[in-house]
Amino acid sequence: MELKFVVESILFTSQKPLNLREIKEILSTAGEKAEEEGPKLFKKVKEDELENILTELEKDHAASGRSYYLACVAGSWQFVTRPEYMPWLKTLFGVKTRPPRLSQPALETLAIVAYRQPITRAEIEQIRGVAVDGVVATLLERGLIENAGRAEVVGRPMTYTTTPLFLEYFGLRNLEELPAADELRRIPVIKPESLLTVEGAPTGGQEQPAGEAETPPVVEVGTATQSSAVSPAGREAPRTETGKPEGELPR
């Protein structure tokens, strides 16, 4: 009995997609409970070996030309029917009501989150140039994006990332399969200042030691002449007709 066909039978019978960890747990549990020797052989299979087997199965079914193939969506594996057979399957199962399609603003916002995640609402609005409150709420409700904690900047705004449902919705194995969008990644976004800390708080200038007053600027004063005299208060004293400061008698 080959492990390759054991994994194939598990995926063929499963009612939902399975990831590597789930397949490994099934093999391990079966090996512990089984009395025969066959299942015990695969009790301690490594994930690397499972990944190689799944890749091999994927190639085998792709080359077989059958009506179904093995696909990895959002990190989970499942057998899916090829799209060209949908008319007969719709007749068999009926047409299920699907949620409405995403609007153009929702798709644009979702693309920004996908390529720039984690990203805040304010950063999304900088790129789009419009408010995105309603669009973000819709994407959260549809489960295509999720809260990913708060940014370590002033105000601690919420950040957003895509979900596994986003990968499933677009049929992607992971985010690395997103089409190239270098222009979108290069759009500059002005981020708020980082949170200040006691040790490394940036300041607007050098701090003044406590208890010391700031030294006022020094102003040089030249020698007074007959046409200029400075009063003790620092203001020029009024002049008399003799050119002497007022209040000084001529000699």
Side-chain angles (χ1 to χ4, degrees), residues 11 16-24 54 74-77:
L11 292 173
K16 68 181 186 70
L18 300 174
N19 56 35
L20 286 174
R21 180 183 55 79
E22 292 171 328
I23 298 173
K24 183 179 178 181
L54 288 167
S76 297
W77 295 83

Side-chain angles (χ1 to χ4, degrees), residues 4-16:
K4 173 180 175 180
F5 298 121
V6 173
V7 173
E8 183 181 48
S9 66
I10 292 173
L11 292 173
F12 194 86
T13 312
S14 175
Q15 300 297 313
K16 68 181 186 70

